[in-house]
Amino acid sequence: MAGMRSRQRMFAAVMRLLLKCLRLGRRRRFKLVRQVEQLWHYGHLCLRSLLYNSFTNGDVVLDSLFEPIYWLVDHVTRWFGVTYTPAWICWHLAYGHWNLIMIIFHYYMAITTSPGHPPQARDDLTGVSICRKCIAPKPARTHHCSICNRCVLKMDHHCPWLNNCVGHYNHRYFFSFCLFMTMGCIYCSISGWEMFRDAYAAIERMKLLEKERLQVAANQTYYQTPPPTFSFRQRAFHKSVVYLWVLCSSVALALGALTVWHAALITRGETSIERHINKKERQRLQKKGKVFRNPYSYGSWDNWKVFLGVDTPRHWLTRVLLPSPHLPHGTGLSWDLPPCVTKQRAPLLAI
């Protein structure tokens, strides 16, 4: 009986201890939750106190979110000018992107397209001369390039800007690149004339203000307020505009002269190398009372059609005004009459 009572007392003590631990743990959890809630309310109050503005409302927040869009529109319209009409802006977008695409396409094709080389096997060609430098067949209009150290079909010249020879297969790409690059530079010079004038006038004002500031410093009149100076960003912007216009105008003149020169050669149906050869041959025959005619010239209009690969009227759009990777007439090994030529000229002295 006494043992049973002792066990009951022990069990009651254990239960009291367990309930006490449970109450203690509940209090601690409740205290921790209260601390977290207090920290949350305190942080929320601090954030609201830092961002509080009595003038802020939904409209202000919406305007702030759209501020990047307003900035973009403002700067884009500034570049176009405030006096431009929507039609004029559409013209800039259409022509500028078309010209840029034509420049990139023809430059890429000019540097990646092989100008064409004659086969090395002598049995493949008959009735052709042998190059004295590479000891290989040398078809008509083929010349040896000392830089590439091999013969090039219908070689015009070796262009360092392309790091490639200009020959039969990439001659059209080279000329088209020069033409569209010249057109792009002229377009930039004309479109940026007003910006150039404003930037040049701003630079002159910078020089005048700088001169006045130096005079004030030399006279040591500290009570006078020195004239305002332009920031570095403004100086860099105006000088960049002037540099851009001068560079575009200079390239337009230099590259335009080169383009006109090659256009005259294409009109006569000859390359840069053939011009010198034909000139000497013309002078030699003139002394004998004879007339020299280029056997590869089909007339001015037909020469352009052959050079550009225009066989039908729609080719002026698809092959000239749009990027086109079409191949030129012939293989560069023989020079048969192209199908686009209207009439065949009488065979005369060949080169």
Side-chain angles (χ1 to χ4, degrees):
M1 192 71 179
M4 184 179 295
R5 290 178 180 175
S6 62
R7 284 196 297 269
Q8 289 178 351
R9 285 195 297 270
M10 185 180 297
F11 179 75
V14 171
M15 292 301 296
R16 285 194 298 271
L17 180 62
L18 181 60
L19 292 175
K20 187 177 181 180
C21 292
L22 290 175
R23 285 195 296 269
L24 182 61
R26 188 178 300 139
R27 291 175 183 174
R28 290 181 177 178
R29 286 197 301 271
F30 181 73
K31 186 178 181 181
L32 180 62
V33 171
R34 289 189 61 184
Q35 290 178 351
V36 171
E37 290 179 353
Q38 290 176 358
L39 289 175
W40 168 258
H41 291 299
Y42 177 75
H44 184 67
L45 180 61
C46 290
L47 184 63
R48 292 192 61 182
S49 63
L50 292 174
L51 301 179
Y52 177 75
N53 190 343
S54 59
F55 299 101
T56 303
N57 52 27
D59 294 336
V60 176
V61 174
L62 188 62
D63 290 341
S64 300
L65 294 177
F66 278 91
E67 185 66 26
I69 300 178
Y70 298 151
W71 180 90
L72 180 63
V73 173
D74 179 61
H75 282 69
V76 169
T77 53
R78 179 191 174 198
W79 282 104
F80 282 114
V82 294
T83 60
Y84 284 1
T85 61
W88 191 240
I89 295 176
C90 293
W91 157 255
H92 277 292
L93 291 175
Y95 178 81
H97 286 83
W98 170 79
N99 201 346
L100 179 62
I101 291 174
M102 297 298 285
I103 291 173
I104 295 176
F105 171 79
H106 288 99
Y107 182 73
Y108 174 78
M109 295 299 294
I111 63 178
T112 57
T113 303
S114 173
H117 307 284
Q120 298 296 320
R122 299 184 181 184
D123 297 337
D124 295 341
L125 299 174
T126 58
V128 298
S129 60
I130 301 298
C131 180
R132 293 178 297 178
K133 296 182 180 179
C134 57
I135 316 300
K138 186 180 179 182
R141 311 187 78 178
T142 300
H143 300 280
H144 186 87
C145 178
S146 58
I147 299 177
C148 299
N149 196 26
R150 63 185 307 182
C151 288
V152 177
L153 299 176
K154 190 191 169 186
M155 179 179 176
D156 187 271
H157 69 285
H158 184 93
C159 182
W161 307 108
L162 302 179
N163 193 27
N164 195 8
C165 272
V166 177
H168 178 62
Y169 289 102
N170 64 348
H171 194 183
R172 178 178 66 89
Y173 297 132
F174 166 77
F175 176 79
S176 298
F177 163 72
C178 294
L179 175 63
F180 289 111
M181 189 68 182
T182 302
M183 293 171 56
C185 291
I186 295 175
Y187 164 74
C188 291
S189 298
I190 296 176
S191 301
W193 170 248
E194 294 296 332
M195 293 183 62
F196 167 75
R197 291 180 56 185
D198 295 341
Y200 188 81
I203 292 177
E204 292 298 323
R205 289 197 302 270
M206 292 179 194
K207 294 180 181 179
L208 181 61
L209 293 175
E210 185 67 20
K211 183 178 180 180
E212 293 178 358
R213 189 180 66 83
L214 293 176
Q215 291 178 353
V216 170
N219 296 330
Q220 296 182 355
T221 54
Y222 296 108
Y223 60 88
Q224 296 180 359
T225 302
T229 58
F230 288 83
S231 63
F232 174 79
R233 183 176 181 180
Q234 292 174 327
R235 293 172 182 268
F237 173 77
H238 295 310
K239 291 181 180 179
S240 298
V241 172
V242 173
Y243 174 76
L244 171 66
W245 191 89
V246 173
L247 179 63
C248 288
S249 302
S250 303
V251 173
L253 291 176
L255 193 58
L258 178 65
T259 304
V260 172
W261 164 254
H262 278 277
L265 294 178
I266 295 170
T267 304
R268 294 196 296 262
E270 57 187 12
T271 62
S272 301
I273 298 178
E274 291 174 351
R275 176 187 176 276
H276 299 286
I277 299 175
N278 293 348
K279 183 179 180 180
K280 293 181 180 179
E281 191 66 18
R282 188 178 296 108
Q283 294 175 352
R284 185 182 69 84
L285 293 177
Q286 188 177 6
K287 294 179 181 179
K288 297 181 180 181
K290 299 180 180 180
V291 178
F292 171 79
R293 291 182 181 178
N294 184 7
Y296 307 113
S297 178
Y298 311 104
S300 301
W301 182 248
D302 287 336
N303 286 337
W304 278 102
K305 291 171 64 178
V306 172
F307 177 79
L308 298 175
V310 176
D311 298 330
T312 60
R314 65 181 180 86
H315 285 168
W316 290 104
L317 173 63
T318 59
R319 293 188 174 185
V320 179
L321 298 181
L322 294 177
S324 176
H326 67 277
L327 297 177
H329 290 292
T331 61
L333 303 177
S334 60
W335 300 97
D336 300 329
L337 187 67
C340 60
V341 176
T342 56
K343 60 180 180 179
Q344 184 176 6
R345 302 187 62 178
L348 297 176
L349 182 63
I351 297 178

